[in-house]
């Protein structure tokens, strides 16, 4: 199934680099208008320039710099996004892998910040765009998760990341059930090990902090070339979007075949 989202508008969080940027470029190729959101305005501008370089109309590509971990900025960003058009496709991709380290040493405030960005922000953005999707009888929400949810014990000292992504998946499946029959689908996506700044940041962490085993594993994955590119992962996500699946946990390795 070839994706054609001409006339639709997609809001992509974390669109300044990595998987979010690749999703933005891939969705631009399907004809969708784009709203690109992250904190770094310069990175968003780079993504915007890349999208325009692929022939997208300038008025169909907007950037909104905002910190999604800050409720006020997030609400303002959502209102700005909806000023000009309904959002038809929401890709909740921005997230933090922090705080890392021994769980007992993690201050509650840091844990709260992780939940704010990884769970509350996707939920709040969905709530903001949902009325428009329901009016239209069509919408796509994708929450970018992680394989850590399938094997939480495999990533010791990543407790906050495991807990937040598990919560995000539970939210996804529950909301999908609530919205059955409305035309709005809600799915989670596990992108695989992807060669991005987030992976590079983890590789740079002190082995004392993340444990020697995790440090070695992340560095080995990179050295052995087992990571996929952001473009490969984004293509797998986008391939799912035309279908009517809902409440599913998509995975980079189970992408439908594009024709
Ligand atoms: N890379 C992997 O191997 C991997 C594996 C499993 C799951 N994932 C998931 O895939 C998603 C994307 O990861 P990635 O590897 O592409 O990460 P990345 O390269 O670090 O990109 C993260 C994006 O999110 C934005 N972001 C971070 N904090 C934000 C905030 N407070 N408010 C708004 N935007 C924020 C960043 O921009 P600013 O810093 O400018 O805000 C950036 O654009 C995440 O949900 C991650 O958990 C990645």
């Amino acid at each position: 199934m070839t994706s054609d989202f001409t006339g639709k508008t997609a809001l992509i969080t974390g669109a300044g680099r990595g998987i979010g940027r690749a999703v933005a470029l891939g969705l631009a190729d399907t004809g969708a208008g784009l709203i690109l959101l992250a904190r770094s305005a310069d990175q968003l501008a780079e993504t915007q320039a890349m999208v325009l370089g692929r022939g997208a109309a300038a008025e169909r590509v907007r950037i909104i710099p905002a910190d999604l971990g800050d409720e006020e900025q997030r609400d303002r960003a959502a209102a700005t996004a909806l000023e000009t058009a309904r959002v038809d496709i929401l890709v909740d991709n921005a997230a933090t892998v922090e705080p890392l380290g021994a769980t007992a040493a993690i201050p509650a405030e840091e844990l709260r910040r992780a939940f704010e960005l990884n769970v509350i922000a996707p939920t709040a953005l969905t709530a903001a765009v949902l009325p428009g999707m329901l009016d239209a009888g069509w919408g796509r929400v994708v929450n970018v998760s992680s394989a850590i949810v399938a094997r939480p014990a495999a990533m010791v000292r990543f407790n906050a990341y495991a807990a937040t992504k598990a919560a995000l998946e539970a939210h996804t499946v529950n909301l999908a059930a609530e919205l059955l029959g409305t035309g709005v689908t809600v799915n989670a996506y596990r992108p695989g090990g992807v060669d991005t700044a987030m992976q590079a940041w983890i590789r740079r962490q002190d082995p004392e902090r993340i444990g020697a085993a995790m440090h070695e594993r992340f560095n080995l994955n990179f050295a052995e070339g087992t990571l996929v590119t952001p473009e490969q992962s984004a293509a797998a996500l986008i391939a799912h979007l035309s279908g009517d699946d809902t409440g599913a946990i998509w995975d980079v390795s189970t992408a439908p075949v594009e024709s």
Side-chain angles (χ1 to χ4, degrees):
M1 186 183 337
T2 304
S3 308
D4 180 359
F5 296 123
T6 308
K8 308 274 193 220
T9 299
L11 168 58
I12 302 134
T13 72
R17 59 176 187 262
I19 298 166
R21 170 179 280 176
V23 169
L25 296 177
L27 281 176
D29 292 346
T30 71
L34 302 178
I35 304 169
L36 311 172
L37 200 155
R39 287 169 303 184
S40 308
D42 55 338
Q43 295 185 359
L44 289 176
E46 275 174 23
T47 305
Q48 183 182 40
M50 292 167 88
V51 169
L52 296 180
R54 289 157 95 113
E59 67 276 10
R60 299 275 292 144
V61 189
R62 299 167 59 205
I63 62 176
I64 304 179
D67 182 349
L68 288 172
D70 179 294
E71 185 174 4
E72 223 179 282
Q73 289 193 38
R74 184 171 69 225
D75 289 352
R76 210 174 320 125
T80 306
L82 290 166
E83 261 166 18
T84 50
R86 179 180 69 233
V87 169
D88 305 289
I89 300 168
L90 171 64
V91 183
D92 287 308
N93 164 77
T96 180
V97 76
E98 293 184 81
L100 301 179
T103 302
I106 305 289
E109 186 49 33
E110 288 185 22
L111 191 56
R112 232 175 256 126
R113 268 205 295 274
F115 272 91
E116 190 70 41
L117 179 60
N118 294 3
V119 184
I120 312 280
T123 307
L125 285 181
T126 301
V129 302
L130 193 53
M133 291 178 172
L134 290 172
D135 280 350
W138 195 94
R140 295 287 177 269
V141 177
V142 183
N143 293 318
V144 178
S145 181
S146 163
I148 196 172
V149 184
R151 296 176 60 228
M155 288 174 71
V156 169
R157 301 196 188 197
F158 284 63
N159 191 288
Y161 193 59
T164 56
K165 292 297 192 183
L168 182 64
E169 288 198 5
H171 154 76
T172 301
V173 176
N174 183 276
L175 181 61
E178 181 182 325
L179 298 178
L180 265 186
T182 63
V184 179
T185 68
V186 192
N187 295 284
Y189 178 61
R190 296 176 184 167
V194 189
D195 189 6
T196 66
M198 184 181 276
Q199 283 269 342
W201 182 86
I202 296 169
R203 285 196 301 274
R204 286 196 305 272
Q205 295 311 297
D206 190 336
E208 293 275 311
R209 183 174 180 218
I210 62 170
M214 288 308 296
H215 187 263
E216 190 184 331
R217 191 166 112 203
F218 274 89
N219 279 282
L220 214 61
N221 285 345
F222 178 69
E224 291 180 345
T226 60
L227 301 179
V228 300
T229 65
E231 292 72 24
Q232 286 167 327
S233 189
L237 185 161
I238 292 167
H240 278 289
L241 277 183
S242 307
D244 294 323
D245 265 14
T246 194
I249 311 298
W250 298 330
D251 187 280
V252 64
S253 58
T254 56
V257 179
E258 288 260 342
S259 60

